[in-house]
């Protein structure tokens, strides 16, 4: 059976040698987050901080910090949940291999929450200001909950079946929030809580919200699980936990997990928004302060032995990367049943997840054609942009399975880029969607939540040989220099500092396209990226993906070598030029505090609690 609460889980990790207790006094303001990130990067253990300055509650981090640890925590249930997901894809499996699903009825039973009259969570009350005030990065606007389970129920259909539980950012302090009375609730577009909030606004009533922290680890996983709309996360939590989730029903309020460590109960009041942020986010930049709903706090509960689980985010990979990988393992076989014609997807973590989606689809619309071209692939790509969390993708690169070598995959990023660049017809296969919604955390667009998307499709035979050596005779406009080959078919060039306003193209990029059009052999490099630091960008694939796709908006920042527009279709004869410089309107990248890093170094020195770990 799975773990019922945080302490059970940590005790098991400690018995396995995968938890280190930190008895030194640490500061929740920047220091503790820096420790967690360093230990994660080192592949280190879970951490239990027993003495947090100014707070009586211990804090735990890096609980989900390795793939092996994720599998250990959910070892009792992962196989059955994977089988049940495959069963949804192919119900005939139950008839063919019934012995594999012997535990299926019990798993189904566990999905149903169990109503109880009381539980450990109801033992104590406290205040928001008494909770750990985690500040992950130097410019963060205040203390945050970073592993919250934000629970709401549909006003029109209350109850577990109409519930939503998501991991939405919660700001506990700072800015204009009234201490202990108000907290900030940041939820991005395309989130289930938004539907509940809209219903409450339509009915003219406040929306009840509970924020759970800790409890069964399966609840944390469920809060980040991209489930189809209408499937309650709390049901999935029971399946992953291996037991029914006990829920305490409060009079007039939403239910509370009996085994949670903390719960903040409150309501979103109509017409009240306040600035939330800044916050160092998982794209590797600060998300800036913007108006978001305010949660009016009613009660704050905690159990006797409460532990505050947390993580910090930043430029990938971070601990949340482990959630993404684990979710991919659970759901990979479901992709064809959710997206007809799509065989594989890869939301690229190094590029911040939503900015870049790689996919493999079928191209069967005209099987008798002499030369395959993207047709069904475009239907596939539009399906990806119209459903679930893949709808937030900014760049969708999709290839035909019929053209891919046996065993090849879009998870082989260098190989997939090579495949795409060899086959794409730049005059035909680039399809822009402009003035549309994009991820709230992506500042490359023309305004908050608004920018563009690009479908980059490739099918058919090889159309070009990709260059691996710098073409001779490259002449660049003033301010552009240091051209270098990053990978076959990809050039990186250093550009001058960006000085244009938002929603404006830069004529200097048109000029570089015109000048490169005269360079012999430039057609062997169909992708050219202009960056602030060519050496950094071309150092490795992680750097390249992060710079190229988090710092560009397709419609604004793609130019052409031989670019043209015909009947509202844009294409390029020889290459695309991606302006991946930091823009004047971008949020700043995350930079660590040198003094804090020195304190972390001391913990890793000989005799320190992290010696031999970091």
């Amino acid at each position: 059976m799975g773990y019922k609460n945080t302490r059970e889980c940590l005790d098991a990790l400690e018995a396995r040698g995968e938890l280190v207790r930190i008895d030194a006094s640490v500061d929740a303001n920047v220091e503790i987050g820096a420790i967690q990130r360093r230990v994660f990067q080192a592949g280190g253990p879970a951490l239990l901080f027993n003495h947090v300055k100014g707070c009586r509650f211990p804090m735990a981090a890096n609980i989900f910090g390795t793939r092996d640890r994720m599998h250990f925590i959910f070892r009792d249930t992962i196989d059955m949940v994977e089988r049940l997901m495959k069963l949804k894809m192919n119900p005939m499996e139950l008839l063919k291999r019934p012995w594999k699903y012997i535990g299926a009825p019990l798993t189904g039973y566990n999905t149903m929450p169990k109503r109880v009259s009381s539980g450990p969570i109801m033992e104590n009350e406290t205040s928001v200001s008494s909770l750990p005030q985690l500040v992950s990065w130097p410019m963060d606007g205040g203390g945050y909950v970073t592993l919250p389970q934000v629970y709401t129920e549909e006003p029109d259909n209350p109850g577990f079946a109409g519930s939503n539980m998501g991991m939405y950012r919660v700001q506990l302090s700072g800015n204009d929030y009234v201490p202990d009375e108000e907290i900030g609730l940041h939820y991005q577009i395309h989130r289930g809580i938004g539907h509940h909030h809209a219903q409450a606004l339509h009915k003219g009533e406040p929306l009840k919200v509970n924020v759970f922290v800790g409890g069964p680890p399966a609840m944390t996983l469920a809060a980040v699980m991209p489930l189809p709309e209408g499937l309650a996360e709390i049901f999935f939590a029971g399946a992953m936990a291996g037991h029914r989730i006990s829920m305490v029903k409060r009079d007039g309020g939403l239910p509370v997990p009996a085994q949670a460590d903390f719960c903040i109960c409150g309501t979103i009041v109509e017409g009240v928004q306040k600035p939330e942020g800044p916050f160092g986010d998982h794209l590797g930049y600060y998300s800036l302060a913007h108006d978001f709903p305010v949660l009016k706090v009613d009660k704050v509960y905690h159990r006797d032995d409460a532990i505050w689980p947390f993580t910090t985010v930043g430029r990938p990979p971070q601990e949340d990367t482990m959630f993404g990988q684990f979710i991919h393992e659970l759901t990979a076989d479901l992709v064809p049943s959710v997206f007809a014609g799509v065989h594989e997807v890869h939301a690229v973590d190094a590029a911040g997840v939503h900015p870049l989606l790689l996919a493999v689809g079928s191209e069967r619309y005209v099987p008798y054609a002499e030369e395959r071209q993207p047709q069904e692939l475009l239907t596939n790509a539009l399906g990806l942009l119209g459903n679930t969390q893949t709808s937030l993708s900014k760049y969708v690169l999709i290839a035909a399975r019929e053209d891919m070598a046996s065993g090849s995959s879009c998870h082989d990023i260098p190989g997939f880029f090579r495949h795409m660049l060899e086959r794409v017809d730049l005059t035909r296969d680039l399809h822009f969607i402009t003035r549309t919604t994009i991820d709230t955390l992506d500042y490359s667009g023309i305004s908050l939540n608004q920018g563009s998307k690009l479908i980059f499709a490739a099918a058919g035979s090889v159309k070009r040989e990709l260059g691996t050596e710098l073409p001779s005779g490259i002449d660049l406009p003033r301010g552009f220099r240091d051209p270098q080959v990053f990978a076959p078919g990809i050039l990186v060039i250093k550009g001058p500092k960006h000085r244009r306003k938002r929603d404006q193209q830069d004529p200097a990029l048109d000029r570089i396209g015109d000048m490169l059009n005269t360079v012999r052999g430039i057609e062997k490099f169909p992708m050219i990226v202009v960056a602030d630091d060519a050496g950094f960008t071309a150092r490795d694939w992680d750097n390249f993906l992060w710079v190229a796709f988090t710092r560009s908006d397709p419609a604004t920042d793609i130019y052409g070598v031989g670019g043209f527009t015909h009947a509202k279709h844009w294409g390029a004869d020889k290459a695309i030029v991606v302006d991946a410089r930091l823009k004047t309107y971008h949020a700043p990248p995350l930079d660590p505090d040198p003094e804090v890093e020195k304190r972390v170094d001391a913990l890793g020195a000989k005799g320190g609690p992290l010696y031999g770990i970091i």
Side-chain angles (χ1 to χ4, degrees):
M1 300 294 285
Y3 302 113
K4 293 185 177 180
N5 55 56
T6 304
R7 191 166 291 276
E8 269 190 14
C9 179
L10 294 182
D11 286 347
L13 292 178
E14 187 170 35
R16 198 172 186 243
E18 291 213 42
L19 180 134
V20 169
R21 294 173 178 265
I22 309 293
D23 291 322
S25 178
V26 296
D27 198 334
N29 184 15
V30 183
E31 181 182 17
I32 202 169
I35 296 169
Q36 181 268 324
R37 291 191 294 274
R38 291 276 290 277
V39 172
F40 168 79
Q41 295 294 338
L47 304 169
L48 180 60
F49 299 92
N50 289 317
H51 296 99
V52 181
K53 291 180 181 178
C55 182
R56 62 190 178 93
F57 296 110
M59 298 175 69
N62 213 38
I63 298 171
F64 308 99
T66 67
R67 180 180 181 274
D68 179 67
R69 198 144 61 239
M70 289 282 285
H71 277 260
F72 173 75
I73 291 170
F74 300 109
R75 65 193 179 279
D76 294 335
T77 56
I78 183 173
D79 287 344
M80 182 54 67
V81 171
E82 282 183 329
R83 289 186 201 132
L84 288 175
M85 288 192 170
K86 291 176 182 177
L87 187 63
K88 180 182 177 183
M89 179 181 68
N90 183 10
M92 289 301 293
E93 277 289 303
L94 179 59
L95 300 179
K96 291 179 181 177
R97 299 174 179 84
W99 59 89
K100 284 190 174 184
Y101 302 96
I102 291 173
L106 178 60
T107 301
Y109 174 75
N110 287 335
T111 63
M112 298 305 298
K114 180 170 64 175
R115 295 184 184 274
V116 295
S117 59
S118 190
I121 184 59
M122 309 305 291
E123 290 167 346
N124 306 281
E125 291 188 29
T126 188
S127 62
V128 171
S129 58
S130 297
L131 300 175
Q133 303 291 311
L134 173 70
V135 178
S136 300
W137 293 93
M139 289 171 54
D140 281 2
Y144 276 88
V145 189
T146 55
L147 286 178
Q149 307 148 34
V150 181
Y151 181 90
T152 55
E153 293 181 356
E154 232 181 328
D156 292 340
N157 181 33
F160 295 128
S163 69
N164 176 78
M165 187 170 67
M167 193 164 286
Y168 313 126
R169 209 160 75 205
V170 177
Q171 185 170 351
L172 297 176
S173 59
N175 298 352
D176 297 328
Y177 300 120
V178 178
D180 291 325
E181 296 180 17
E182 298 177 339
I183 60 177
L185 182 57
H186 170 121
Y187 66 83
Q188 297 152 244
I189 60 171
H190 203 296
R191 298 297 191 267
I193 190 175
H195 304 305
H196 293 182
H197 196 184
Q199 283 186 15
L201 291 172
H202 180 72
K203 294 169 73 76
E205 62 185 35
L207 179 68
K208 297 175 184 177
V209 180
N210 280 356
V211 180
F212 316 140
V213 181
M219 291 283 280
T220 300
L221 176 64
V224 297
M225 192 74 185
L227 297 176
E229 189 174 334
L231 180 58
E233 289 81 6
I234 197 158
F235 295 160
F236 177 81
M240 285 304 300
H243 61 262
R244 297 175 68 187
I245 303 295
S246 297
M247 301 292 287
V248 181
K249 185 70 167 74
R250 295 171 59 239
D251 291 339
L254 296 175
V256 179
Q259 294 287 339
D261 288 81
F262 299 88
C263 180
I264 304 171
C265 305
T267 54
I268 298 177
V269 182
E270 181 179 355
V272 179
Q273 292 89 37
K274 289 187 176 183
E276 180 274 345
F279 180 77
D281 231 312
H282 71 263
L283 266 68
Y285 309 89
Y286 286 97
S287 56
L288 304 179
H290 299 282
D291 284 350
F292 278 95
V294 173
L295 187 68
K296 184 174 176 57
V297 177
D298 174 29
K299 296 279 188 180
V300 182
Y301 296 101
H302 71 89
R303 59 188 297 144
D304 278 342
D305 57 350
I307 298 171
W308 185 270
F310 76 95
T311 190
T312 61
V313 293
R315 181 188 163 187
Q318 300 290 345
E319 187 178 4
D320 57 342
T321 300
M322 298 298 105
F323 283 113
Q325 292 180 1
F326 190 76
I327 289 168
H328 172 75
E329 290 181 44
L330 290 175
T331 61
D333 289 336
L334 282 176
V335 168
S337 68
V338 177
F339 304 105
V342 179
H343 304 283
E344 186 182 21
V345 295
H346 179 193
V348 180
D349 185 67
V353 181
H354 292 317
L356 177 62
L357 181 72
L358 310 182
V360 177
S362 292
E363 188 47 74
R364 304 163 297 186
Y365 276 6
V366 190
Y368 51 82
E370 184 175 338
E371 171 70 13
R372 238 187 320 274
Q373 69 181 61
Q375 292 175 300
E376 185 178 3
L377 287 183
L378 301 182
T379 301
N380 296 340
L382 290 169
L384 289 166
L385 289 175
N387 286 280
T388 69
Q389 294 301 306
T390 60
S391 66
L392 292 174
S393 303
K394 182 168 61 173
Y395 287 88
V396 178
L397 276 61
I398 187 166
R401 183 173 69 166
E402 291 79 1
D403 301 321
M404 297 186 71
S406 176
S408 59
S409 166
C410 60
H411 286 268
D412 170 16
I413 293 175
F416 189 77
F417 266 78
R418 181 164 194 156
H419 177 94
M420 294 290 297
L421 294 176
E422 285 176 336
R423 288 166 174 80
V424 67
D425 181 342
L426 295 174
T427 67
R428 180 192 66 201
D429 297 338
L430 304 178
H431 302 274
F432 293 83
I433 303 171
T434 63
R435 307 278 166 168
T436 189
T437 51
I438 63 172
D439 183 15
T440 304
L441 305 181
D442 191 331
Y443 281 83
S444 67
I446 59 176
S447 67
L448 185 68
N449 294 326
Q450 188 178 24
S452 65
K453 300 177 186 292
L454 173 65
I455 297 171
F456 187 116
S461 59
V462 171
K463 297 175 177 59
R464 66 180 61 79
E465 175 189 356
L466 300 181
T468 56
E469 295 183 2
L470 198 66
S472 60
I474 287 186
D475 189 19
L476 299 175
R478 182 178 178 182
F480 294 86
R481 57 187 175 86
D482 195 19
Q484 49 193 282
V485 177
F486 165 64
I490 303 176
L491 283 181
V492 177
I493 298 172
K494 177 178 173 58
K497 187 175 180 179
H498 183 269
R499 300 187 185 281
R500 311 296 294 185
K501 294 180 180 179
R502 187 184 290 276
D503 200 17
Q504 288 185 355
Q505 290 200 291
D506 190 342
L509 273 293
D510 287 320
R511 289 194 293 273
I512 196 172
D514 291 342
M515 293 185 75
L516 290 174
N517 200 25
T518 65
V519 175
R520 185 176 179 180
I522 199 67
E523 66 277 0
K524 293 183 178 182
F525 294 90
M527 187 173 192
I528 300 167
V529 173
V530 176
D532 297 297
D533 186 334
F536 172 84
T537 305
R539 184 176 303 156
D540 54 41
W541 274 97
D542 281 355
N543 285 5
F544 175 80
L545 295 167
W546 184 58
V547 171
F549 296 101
T550 65
R551 299 183 181 184
S552 63
D553 171 73
T556 305
D557 296 323
I558 288 184
Y559 303 78
V561 178
F564 66 88
T565 302
H566 174 72
K568 299 183 177 66
H569 174 79
W570 187 91
D573 292 326
K574 297 180 180 178
I576 61 169
V577 179
V578 181
D579 183 1
R581 297 172 294 171
L582 277 172
K583 311 301 190 297
T584 56
Y585 44 86
H586 283 182
L590 301 177
D591 290 319
D593 184 321
E595 293 303 314
V596 170
E597 294 299 319
K598 289 179 183 178
R599 296 204 297 270
V600 179
D601 289 339
L603 295 174
K606 192 170 184 178
L610 298 179
Y611 178 65
I613 296 175
I614 60 173

